[in-house]
Amino acid sequence: MGSRRYRLTLITMLVGIVLIAVCGLIIVASWSQRSRTDGASHAPSTSSLATRGSVPTRSITVLDTLPWPKDAFTEGLDRLPQGQTLVSTGRYGMSEVYFLNDDGHTAHTHHLPRKYFGEGIAATPTSVWQLTWKSGHAIRRDRQSLAEAGSAHYEGEGWGLCYDGHSLLMSDGSNKLTRRDPDTFEKRSSLSVTLDGRPVGNINELDCAHNRIVANVWHSEELIVIDPSSGRVTSVIDASGLPPSRGATGENVLNGVASDPADPAVLYVTGKLWPHLYRVRVDGLDG
């Protein structure tokens, strides 16, 4: 009788251990899935773009380290001629838009409704457009106050946005960029991005200036420089030397690029939940 009771106790303990292990695996898998989808829904790039093509790889030199809101889940960045940075942040219930001065002070902060996940942002001469991730909702804002002044609908996901002086360019996480009317947000045309003839996916935050497009590639420590007429990648910028990039885990990855309006070789670069905005010079980018 004692032996049977012992065996039953042992079986009960083993069953309990198995159940605990299974529950733990479910919790870990669920947490991992939330982490992967808290800003983008496509698989990350795992290989260096520089090793996949014959285009030049450009190095960077840090010129200045500027303050940055440490809780900013950076999704959109634009540098204005008057020396301000236009910022859009993500996450449901935490998304914001604001101007950021180089001393770290913010101005004209607006919070998005909880149902919207803020994404790319771009200023035109008359307004500011801000994307949302999965809602198909573009918000038009006043150029000075950033107050909402209208909206537009689009199909698919919204990731990055920039203005090239004629059209808005929008990314959706694929290798496709869409040109849109800066007044109505209506689609004008599309552009496929390729590196040595092969599509480059996971294109995220965008910058349009100096007759080029510079783009973040999600979960990559590199940026790509794109010919706006052909979609061909002309060079790769290695940003792996930035301190937060070296220690990036989860979602605190490189994301946020804006050209200096006055100097084509200078970029402003940051990432999601990074503590600083970096002003960097890119070797050969002015050529």
Side-chain angles (χ1 to χ4, degrees):
M1 188 68 177
S3 177
R4 175 185 289 182
R5 185 178 296 116
Y6 173 78
R7 286 197 300 272
L8 288 174
T9 301
L10 181 61
I11 291 172
T12 301
M13 290 175 62
L14 290 174
V15 170
I17 291 171
V18 170
L19 288 174
I20 291 172
V22 170
C23 289
L25 289 173
I26 292 173
I27 291 171
V28 169
S30 174
W31 176 88
S32 178
Q33 182 65 22
R34 285 197 299 271
S35 176
R36 287 195 300 270
T37 59
D38 195 17
S41 62
H42 300 265
S45 174
T46 56
S47 62
S48 169
L49 291 165
T51 63
R52 292 163 50 191
S54 59
V55 300
T57 300
R58 305 194 184 281
S59 60
I60 63 173
T61 301
V62 176
L63 303 176
D64 290 302
T65 300
L66 304 172
W68 190 253
K70 63 180 180 180
D71 59 346
F73 199 77
T74 311
E75 296 290 0
L77 196 68
D78 200 1
R79 186 71 179 180
L80 306 182
Q82 56 267 40
Q84 287 181 310
T85 302
L86 177 61
V87 183
S88 171
T89 69
R91 290 184 164 171
Y92 292 109
M94 301 173 65
S95 296
E96 296 179 325
V97 57
Y98 48 81
F99 291 117
L100 181 71
N101 297 322
D102 286 346
D103 60 5
H105 288 88
T106 60
H108 301 299
T109 300
H110 293 270
H111 301 270
L112 275 66
R114 295 185 64 86
K115 63 180 179 179
Y116 294 135
F117 190 115
E119 285 282 351
I121 199 164
T124 74
T126 58
S127 61
V128 168
W129 284 97
Q130 183 182 23
L131 299 177
T132 57
W133 178 26
K134 289 186 172 182
S135 305
H137 183 72
I139 304 169
R140 184 173 186 167
R141 298 185 177 277
D142 180 81
R143 186 70 165 68
Q144 304 300 321
S145 69
L146 297 181
E148 187 170 347
S151 64
H153 177 76
Y154 56 86
E155 298 296 329
E157 295 185 3
W159 285 39
L161 193 67
C162 64
Y163 177 67
D164 66 1
H166 305 282
S167 301
L168 291 162
L169 274 83
M170 170 181 158
S171 66
D172 61 5
S174 68
N175 75 310
K176 301 286 186 180
L177 301 181
T178 302
R179 286 191 172 93
R180 296 186 176 276
D181 187 286
D183 294 320
T184 66
F185 213 73
E186 291 181 358
K187 180 178 178 179
R188 286 178 169 175
S189 62
S190 61
L191 182 70
S192 297
V193 179
T194 60
L195 174 58
D196 280 355
R198 292 172 292 177
V200 179
N202 290 320
I203 296 176
N204 202 352
E205 224 274 299
L206 302 173
D207 171 73
C208 300
H210 309 296
N211 196 34
R212 69 183 182 221
I213 305 167
V214 181
N216 281 108
V217 178
W218 184 57
H219 270 263
S220 169
E221 296 178 333
E222 298 162 323
L223 302 113
I224 53 176
V225 183
I226 306 165
D227 180 343
S229 60
S230 66
R232 183 176 62 89
V233 174
T234 59
S235 61
V236 174
I237 301 170
D238 180 9
S240 62
L242 295 177
S245 186
R246 292 199 298 265
T249 58
E251 285 299 322
N252 65 324
V253 294
L254 178 71
N255 195 52
V257 57
S259 289
D260 187 319
D263 190 338
V266 173
L267 299 176
Y268 290 82
V269 180
T270 189
K272 299 178 181 181
L273 305 176
W274 282 24
H276 299 106
L277 174 69
Y278 295 92
R279 181 172 173 263
V280 304
R281 180 171 295 279
V282 183
D283 176 48
L285 193 61
D286 54 348

